[in-house]
Amino acid sequence: RRAHAAAVRLFRKLNGTAWLEVVGRPPAVRMVGAMTFRADPGGPACALYTGVLEELLAEYLGGPRAVAHVSCQARGAGA
């Protein structure tokens, strides 16, 4: 629960007014309209979000965690 709450707070700060949800186990982060995507739609923000979530989970869960980046607006997925 603490990792979930921390992820929500952190991603809200990173995304400004974007729609955001963090759900499930393992956690899934869904964002629509992220300001970083609007600023550079080529996809480099994806690495930022993936790394941030990996580090956050490692801190809260006590070890490295892999994050799969399965769907993305920058790579052509629908919003």
Side-chain angles (χ1 to χ4, degrees):
R1 286 188 179 194
R2 289 182 186 172
H4 176 275
V8 169
R9 283 191 309 272
L10 182 58
F11 280 102
R12 286 207 191 285
K13 288 180 181 181
L14 288 172
N15 286 304
T17 60
W19 177 84
L20 167 78
E21 72 175 346
V22 180
V23 296
R25 290 183 190 258
V29 177
R30 296 184 184 112
M31 294 179 273
V32 176
M35 64 183 171
T36 51
F37 172 74
R38 292 190 310 266
D40 189 357
C46 302
L48 170 69
Y49 295 130
T50 300
V52 165
L53 187 56
E54 285 176 344
E55 290 299 319
L56 183 71
L57 292 173
E59 287 296 315
Y60 276 89
L61 302 176
R65 298 292 189 261
V67 174
H69 186 180
V70 296
S71 180
C72 178
Q73 283 179 291
R75 297 186 299 190

